[in-house]
Amino acid sequence: MSQQAAHALKSLGGVIQQFKLESLLPALRACEALSCEDAFLDVAVLGQFKSGKSSLLNALLGADIFPVSVLPATAVITRTVAGPNLVIRVHHFAGVTTDIAPEQIGEFVTEAGNPRNRRNVAVVDVFTPAMQAWPGVRLVDTPGLGSVFTHNTEATRIWMPNVAVALV
């Protein structure tokens, strides 16, 4: 990040703090993350719940990575990036990170496996060879908007400042 950009972000942080504009903190954190040299370009799929977001991502990857269901499935932000092997990494709000077996992903990212996010999952990262064609890109599956599960819609809205590119 250039010194000018770093100074601008620091100044913005000071204004946010001075005027107690906490609602702008997620946007500031997203800008800080995007300004890092090794930052991923997040391409998020956004739309109404049950509109085929997870299915679209699976089709793009040519692999069944994101769980799909006839009922609203995705409940947690799930991101995928290039990796030499299939690895699923769960990040919890408490700061704990654990790797899980691929067949366990539904227990952490779906409403059926993790109702009301009782496991307190912040985000799940999937590392997969299927993303090798897109280095530096991170595809993001969201719970969607307008879900019958309001907490899923809220998870999407809270995460939206992190979106660099959106497929709607």
Side-chain angles (χ1 to χ4, degrees):
M1 167 173 28
S2 72
Q3 287 183 348
Q4 184 179 10
H7 178 69
L9 288 173
K10 184 176 179 182
S11 296
L12 181 58
V15 170
I16 289 171
Q17 184 178 21
Q18 179 182 356
F19 293 102
K20 301 183 186 331
L21 302 170
E22 288 84 11
S23 65
L24 295 178
L25 284 174
L28 175 63
R29 299 295 171 248
C31 289
E32 290 169 344
L34 282 172
S35 66
C36 294
E37 290 180 23
D38 59 349
F40 290 104
L41 178 68
D42 280 338
V43 178
V45 179
L46 300 170
Q48 293 294 313
F49 73 102
K50 289 305 304 157
S51 61
K53 297 178 297 298
S54 301
S55 296
L56 172 66
L57 288 169
N58 285 338
L60 282 172
L61 294 173
D64 291 332
I65 292 175
F66 299 97
V68 295
S69 173
V70 295
L71 300 173
T74 308
V76 172
I77 299 296
T78 310
R79 310 177 298 193
T80 187
V81 297
N85 302 307
L86 182 59
V87 175
I88 314 288
R89 187 157 295 144
V90 178
H91 303 273
H92 296 271
F93 287 115
V96 176
T97 300
T98 55
D99 288 356
I100 60 169
E103 60 272 10
Q104 292 179 289
I105 191 169
E107 297 172 29
F108 293 86
V109 304
T110 67
E111 187 62 34
N114 185 11
R116 300 193 59 78
N117 197 6
R118 71 171 191 258
R119 294 177 186 261
N120 295 310
V121 176
V123 67
V124 172
D125 285 320
V126 177
F127 301 87
T128 176
M131 285 290 293
Q132 295 297 346
W134 301 299
V137 172
R138 183 165 52 192
L139 297 178
V140 183
D141 194 14
T142 65
L145 300 168
S147 175
V148 294
F149 301 113
T150 56
H151 54 278
N152 291 351
T153 296
E154 189 62 18
T156 299
R157 287 196 174 138
I158 289 169
W159 191 82
M160 284 179 74
N162 297 293
V163 174
V165 176
L167 298 174
V168 181

